[in-house]
Amino acid sequence: YSQTNLALANALASQKDLTDQQKSMVTQLVQQSIREARNAVSLAPQRAADWENLASIYQSLINFAQGADQWTLASLNQAISLDPSNAQLRFALGSLYFSAKDYQTAAQAFNLATALKPDYANAYYNLSIALRDKGNLQEAQVIAEKVVQLLQTDTQNPDYKVAAEYLKDLKARIATGS
């Protein structure tokens, strides 16, 4: 129900020239989304999926609500404490830190995701980008090569093409020293 309310709010908010009534409706739908996600957490506080849902609601509000980043972080950490072997949660945590430009912490979270799921190509890819943005191009290249290796079973896969192009660009950056 929380996700439905958020989807309705997003659909309404994406329209042009909202009236004051429509703006009010968006706010109400977002508040209802948060309230429903919090209710789910309070009904089953030991269920990691409910905390993950709450984190995703908060994360969608980061650019609009003050403190949403901290609420997202707290909810994700609670989900991780309940399901520490969930690579997706570590990936989400890394993405949160990456968007905050904390590349060191993002890399650590992505690295944990790959340790939990050694064939998680997307986590390796994001780890490589975090390392690149942190300035560690050599290590980023090693990880990018791992991504290409994981995806090379289907060279028609668009993800493979993106990863191969990224690796090529990374090698060129290293060669030119930029």
Side-chain angles (χ1 to χ4, degrees):
Y1 192 58
S2 62
Q3 290 294 330
T4 300
N5 280 297
L6 187 62
L8 290 171
N10 284 330
L12 185 57
S14 68
Q15 296 178 7
K16 291 184 180 181
D17 302 321
L18 293 179
T19 66
D20 287 342
Q21 183 180 7
Q22 289 171 318
K23 289 177 185 175
S24 176
M25 179 62 81
V26 168
T27 301
Q28 289 174 12
L29 287 166
V30 168
Q31 289 171 344
Q32 193 166 329
S33 175
I34 294 168
R35 187 172 42 254
E36 291 303 324
R38 284 181 178 168
N39 285 343
V41 163
S42 68
L43 289 172
Q46 298 303 313
R47 193 165 176 255
D50 290 339
W51 285 100
E52 181 180 13
N53 178 56
L54 182 59
S56 95
I57 301 285
Y58 286 144
Q59 189 167 16
S60 69
L61 301 174
I62 285 177
N63 294 325
F64 308 104
Q66 187 177 7
D69 56 341
Q70 293 305 309
W71 300 328
T72 304
L73 181 60
S75 298
L76 270 175
N77 280 329
Q78 183 61 33
I80 289 169
S81 74
L82 294 169
D83 189 2
S85 62
N86 185 328
Q88 283 289 114
L89 294 173
R90 303 293 179 156
F91 181 84
L93 186 63
S95 298
L96 180 64
Y97 281 114
F98 186 86
S99 67
K101 297 185 180 355
D102 181 350
Y103 304 123
Q104 175 66 36
T105 309
Q108 290 169 348
F110 292 135
N111 195 41
L112 282 171
T114 63
L116 291 168
K117 187 171 177 4
D119 63 345
Y120 198 173
N122 199 13
Y124 281 108
Y125 181 78
N126 285 3
L127 172 58
S128 178
I129 290 174
L131 291 168
R132 178 200 67 194
D133 290 357
K134 194 176 105 174
N136 191 338
L137 298 181
Q138 299 293 334
E139 192 175 352
Q141 179 183 336
V142 170
I143 301 299
E145 289 169 350
K146 174 77 173 175
V147 174
V148 170
Q149 177 187 8
L150 286 168
L151 295 172
Q152 74 183 0
T153 57
D154 181 8
T155 57
Q156 299 306 309
N157 180 340
D159 291 342
Y160 173 80
K161 292 176 182 180
V162 168
E165 189 61 36
Y166 167 72
L167 177 58
K168 180 180 169 186
D169 178 64
L170 200 51
K171 287 179 178 181
R173 279 180 152 193
I174 292 169
T176 62
S178 59

